[in-house]
Amino acid sequence: MQFSTKQQLIGGGVILVIIGFVAWSTWSHALGSSSSATTTSSTLASSTDSGVTTAPVTATSTSTGPFPINVSDSLASWSFKGIYTGNDALVQKANADITLLTGLLGKGKYDDYDLYNGIANDYGMLGEGSLAYQNFNRAIAIHPTKGLAYVNLGHLMAELGAYATAADAYGKAVAVEPGMLEYHLERLTYLTQQFPKDTPRIVAALADASKQFGDNASILAIEARWLSAVGRYADAIKAWQTAKMLLPGKDTSAIDAEIARLQAKQ
């Protein structure tokens, strides 16, 4: 799982604004077979984490932070292969960035929430799950009603194999900021891919999204892909047809091709 960052110049200085999700603003993104957050890293700390737990971890031993590990999850390790692992140049760059961000904490120039998100994401780049988790929790403690840290935490937990905790985190992001379409898309994409047979949970998540945005092409595309995956071809066709109607003037040839493919399966 990757994490993305966006670099902005603010007042002559550089601040990393964390975008821990892929914004599916068009139906064509939702046509893809999976949702993986694209990443350009920019923040990290030391690649040595003496606090990383290597023994099996359960909710009892790890749920001391603001966001608990779901009781159904057990982590064999907090370490994983990050996208920077093994690349000395990127590791060095990440360590320099984490030093920069850490030095900005508490200065008031930038929101510590954003800084902790950046630090945590870069620990994720190095595969340091324990430190990523700690820093996402620090961000959450600052702004518990902002969804971004929860979404990023969902990415991390999915990478660590804590799938129920990841679902909880995506759900929390939607709960605290229900008006953010991207959070709904991240949640729906995750649930439909990780728990495709959990129809009640997916239907509830779709209802949450529909309550906020009504008929939306990106939401419908995720729904249609899920319906197709579980063999509900007629329902998937209806969802794609509705999505197509919401895109007047757009090139919907990919949707037409998908509808034809599903019709051939009936």
Side-chain angles (χ1 to χ4, degrees), residues 109-194:
K109 187 174 183 180
Y110 306 112
D111 194 330
D112 282 359
Y113 178 86
D114 294 326
L115 297 174
Y116 279 126
N117 263 297
I119 292 168
N121 274 340
D122 280 319
Y123 275 125
M125 299 293 186
L126 291 182
E128 301 284 3
S130 179
L131 292 179
Y133 175 70
Q134 291 173 28
N135 282 282
F136 283 137
N137 278 325
R138 288 168 181 153
I140 289 169
I142 294 171
H143 293 305
T145 58
K146 285 188 175 182
L148 182 57
Y150 297 112
V151 171
N152 284 337
L153 188 60
H155 294 337
L156 173 67
M157 288 297 138
E159 182 65 44
L160 288 167
Y163 301 122
T165 305
D168 292 342
Y170 288 124
K172 185 66 173 180
V174 168
V176 298
E177 289 196 90
M180 289 291 290
L181 174 62
E182 291 85 356
Y183 299 166
H184 286 272
L185 298 178
E186 283 290 306
R187 180 194 189 192
L188 287 168
T189 298
Y190 178 75
L191 291 179
T192 55
Q193 291 181 0
Q194 188 61 46

Side-chain angles (χ1 to χ4, degrees), residues 18 39 65 69 85-86 91 96 105 129 134 179 220 227 245 251 263 266:
I18 308 308
T39 305
I69 305 300
T85 303
V91 169
L105 287 168
Q134 291 173 28
L220 285 163
L227 291 168
M245 288 190 296
D251 179 4
Q263 287 173 335
Q266 290 182 297

Side-chain angles (χ1 to χ4, degrees), residues 29-50:
H29 288 283
L31 267 171
S33 60
S34 65
S35 165
S36 61
T38 56
T39 305
T40 3
S41 170
S42 287
T43 44
L44 218 74
S46 170
S47 59
T48 301
D49 175 13
S50 59

